[in-house]
Amino acid sequence: MARILITNDDGVYSEGLKLLADALGQIGEVTVVAPDREQSATGHSLTLHRPLRMQQLQEHVFAVDGTPTDCVNLAVLWLMKDSPPDLVVSGINFGCNMGDDVTYSGTVSATFEGTLLGIPSVAFSQEVGEEFSFDRAARFARRFTEILLKETLAKDTLLNVNIPAESPLGVRLTRLGKRKYKQVVVEKEDPRGRKYFWIAGTPEWQEEEGTDHAALSAGLVSVTPLHLDLTDYRGLESYSELRERFDGMTGDLET
Ligand code: MN
């Protein structure tokens, strides 16, 4: 039976994680290692400046007082080190993780970490809307994972899956969309007269065919293959003029 590590960023007690673990428990041997509290938007952060604690809550369920990335490391490099997972699955997140937001996402970052450790990884996120159902999303996740487990997955396989709020009409392979960010910093004053700030705003998306956002808008499940190589390959070409100006820049720095 396939060994599946499940984590998330909404915390070990979240409904999305529980239903995902139940659903994937029908097709594999599931181990849950998840943050002991919500860690949404913690990105790919790793805890190096304080000790981490892991608490067993039930058989095969563990809580860590750290980030999703911490959880994947503790699970793969310690808890499951003698028989590492075949697949890392993160989610089901409460809310989409699309486009530029994937770098903020703890849900997606857990899968970045999975692939860095050489394990194929998938993130599931559920769009929040009137008809949304974690039950439906969990059933979809089970079918999707079942298909993946029948394939010979490359170790750097990383799929970011977003599930629409309504019953999905199909599945589309997509690229990351772009946000026209309407993010604002709201300034307020506390009872002692000191300023504090909230980062707020509602994302607005550029309407572009082929993106994750376009798929969700059309009522489809979006599957975006990702990789962690952030190199701007076009930039390597387009900055060639700058490259000439860089030549010789490092001479005489010692004087
Ligand atoms: Mn979350």
Side-chain angles (χ1 to χ4, degrees), residues 9-10 38-41 93-94 97 107:
D9 73 359
D10 294 336
E38 176 159 2
Q39 295 281 346
S40 290
N93 188 60
F94 182 73
N97 280 303
T107 310

